[in-house]
Amino acid sequence: MLNKLKIIIIVLSFNMGFSQAPDTFFTKADAFFKANVANGKVNYAGIHKNQDKLNELLSLANTVRISKSDAKKYQAFWINAYNVSVIKGIIDSYPIKSPLDKAGFFDKTTYKLGGKSITLNDIEHKLLRAQFNDARFHFVLVCGAIGCPPLINKAYLPSSLEAQLEKQTKIALNGTFLQVNTKKKRVAGSEILKWYKEDFTMNGTSEIDFINKYRTEKIPSNFKLSYFTYNWNLNKQ
């Protein structure tokens, strides 16, 4: 009887640790981003000198277990896990000028997160895009380059995720993701719009329709859309 009681206590403690891990992860991730990100740029040099907080955060991320059914918490966790892992990938090869300088940065290098050994592409394409029809992921997953959407200096949280997704999508589509030439009736967009066109044209809508949903100054439907070259230079401070 005593042994059974010990087993029950161990199991309960184990499960309690997993249930508390997401909240602890969000708190520590928020502190990490606040300390190391400003104006969308990352203090890679500073993180490289002292990697303790980064490694602690990633170790904690590996203890987190969240069901897809808890959608907002699941999405917030994996968005943060992606952004932190990008920083880890860069730090492990620092100094580099671009994430593309490291072979297999997105599709070969693995990270232990949520009890899985996965790549950045796994997170983006299998755990997020394949599970939820939401093109706004492209404006919060930050690949470590200037051409990416800006990295915010806070964690994405379940309680505020919807507002954060809306805000970052509006910032991108009213900012550097588009170059509008009214005289020539043209608009040039980030290559992200080209690479993931299927995400921006779901339900029979056009890319311009998606853009205008978030634009303050709407793009006329007769404007021709092209794409400018992605800037893969490192998003460093």
Side-chain angles (χ1 to χ4, degrees):
M1 184 68 177
L2 183 59
N3 287 336
K4 287 184 178 180
L5 183 59
K6 287 181 178 178
I7 292 172
I8 291 171
I9 291 172
I10 290 171
V11 170
L12 288 174
S13 298
F14 186 74
N15 289 335
M16 186 177 294
F18 279 145
S19 66
Q20 292 175 342
D23 292 337
T24 305
F25 172 78
F26 288 128
T27 299
K28 289 186 177 292
D30 194 62
F32 177 79
F33 289 126
K34 280 182 168 64
N36 295 291
V37 179
N39 300 317
K41 305 295 177 61
V42 182
N43 180 16
Y44 294 112
I47 298 171
H48 187 258
K49 289 179 181 177
N50 185 350
Q51 301 178 32
D52 291 348
K53 295 294 184 183
L54 174 61
N55 292 332
E56 177 189 356
L57 186 56
L58 286 164
S59 294
L60 179 60
N62 195 34
T63 70
V64 173
R65 305 288 188 275
I66 304 173
S67 170
K68 187 183 69 173
S69 62
D70 192 351
K72 291 306 178 187
K73 183 176 285 188
Y74 175 97
Q75 292 171 21
F77 169 73
W78 285 112
I79 291 168
N80 290 316
Y82 180 97
N83 291 338
V84 172
S85 297
V86 167
I87 293 173
K88 173 64 173 174
I90 290 167
I91 292 301
D92 284 349
S93 297
Y94 194 80
I96 57 176
K97 295 181 179 180
S98 165
L100 295 187
D101 289 347
K102 182 177 179 179
F105 187 89
F106 295 101
D107 61 350
K108 300 296 182 186
T109 302
T110 59
Y111 303 90
K112 292 182 178 179
L113 304 164
K116 310 172 189 289
S117 181
I118 54 178
T119 67
L120 292 170
N121 277 358
D122 288 336
I123 298 173
E124 180 175 8
H125 305 312
K126 296 179 181 179
L127 301 184
L128 291 173
R129 291 181 63 231
Q131 305 301 325
F132 307 94
N133 292 326
D134 196 333
R136 297 175 301 173
F137 289 138
H138 296 297
F139 304 104
V140 297
L141 297 172
V142 184
C143 64
I146 292 174
C148 304
L151 183 63
I152 61 175
N153 69 337
K154 59 183 70 175
Y156 288 93
L157 304 175
S159 60
S160 55
L161 181 61
E162 180 62 26
Q164 289 175 309
L165 285 166
E166 285 288 290
K167 180 179 180 181
Q168 294 311 117
T169 303
K170 288 176 181 177
I171 287 174
L173 295 178
N174 285 280
T176 58
F177 265 53
L178 291 178
Q179 300 168 0
V180 181
N181 188 323
T182 304
K183 289 184 178 180
K184 294 185 177 181
K185 296 183 179 180
R186 293 178 179 271
V187 55
S190 165
E191 283 187 301
I192 285 179
L193 298 172
K194 176 183 179 181
W195 297 332
Y196 301 106
K197 183 174 180 177
E198 67 270 26
D199 291 4
F200 301 107
T201 56
M202 290 185 288
N203 304 317
T205 60
S206 69
E207 293 157 283
I208 297 294
D209 290 334
F210 179 86
I211 290 168
N212 281 339
K213 185 177 177 181
Y214 299 96
R215 284 277 297 182
T216 301
E217 294 184 18
K218 308 302 182 186
I219 306 297
S221 58
N222 64 335
F223 273 36
K224 184 176 180 179
L225 178 63
S226 60
Y227 310 94
F228 55 80
T229 303
Y230 205 77
N231 186 344
W232 282 105
N233 290 325
L234 196 65
N235 62 342
K236 65 179 181 178
Q237 289 182 10

